[in-house]
Amino acid sequence: MAYFAELDDTNTVLRVISVSNDVCGEPTLGFPDTCAAGRAFIANTLKLGGNWKQTSYNGDFRGTYAGVGYTYDADLDEFVTPETESTPDETEL
């Protein structure tokens, strides 16, 4: 399976979908060509608009596997894990 993350206007991941490797051109094509093929399939066959970026379940490219709430850093071409809110240590109270 190939995985694609839909991004909003701030590059935050809204959802992640999977498509068959076949529609991405694998095994003939490799990343980043599979990204273009997958995005074409999403737009033309699934009729889904939006900004889609391929993400790697194994972390082979784009840093880490994208999840809802992650952000995409275009300069790094990577998905970034959301920052977690830290809670005060009980001993600090």
Side-chain angles (χ1 to χ4, degrees):
M1 298 305 285
Y3 300 92
F4 288 82
E6 181 182 17
L7 309 176
D8 69 9
D9 293 340
T10 65
N11 283 344
T12 300
V13 176
L14 300 172
R15 62 180 163 167
V16 178
I17 63 170
S18 62
V19 298
S20 169
N21 287 337
D22 295 345
V23 302
C24 294
E26 290 184 17
T28 305
L29 298 178
F31 183 81
D33 297 324
T34 53
C35 185
R39 286 168 38 178
F41 175 81
I42 291 167
N44 299 326
T45 303
L46 298 181
K47 305 291 187 203
L48 296 176
N51 182 16
W52 295 89
K53 295 285 184 187
Q54 189 172 6
T55 184
S56 172
Y57 186 78
N58 299 319
D60 294 334
F61 51 84
R62 294 207 166 119
T64 187
Y65 179 73
V68 173
Y70 285 46
T71 55
Y72 173 71
D73 185 319
D75 292 331
L76 297 175
D77 192 26
E78 291 184 354
F79 289 99
V80 179
T81 307
E83 292 184 24
T84 58
E85 288 186 33
S86 59
T87 57
D89 187 5
E90 289 182 17
T91 60
E92 296 176 350
L93 297 175

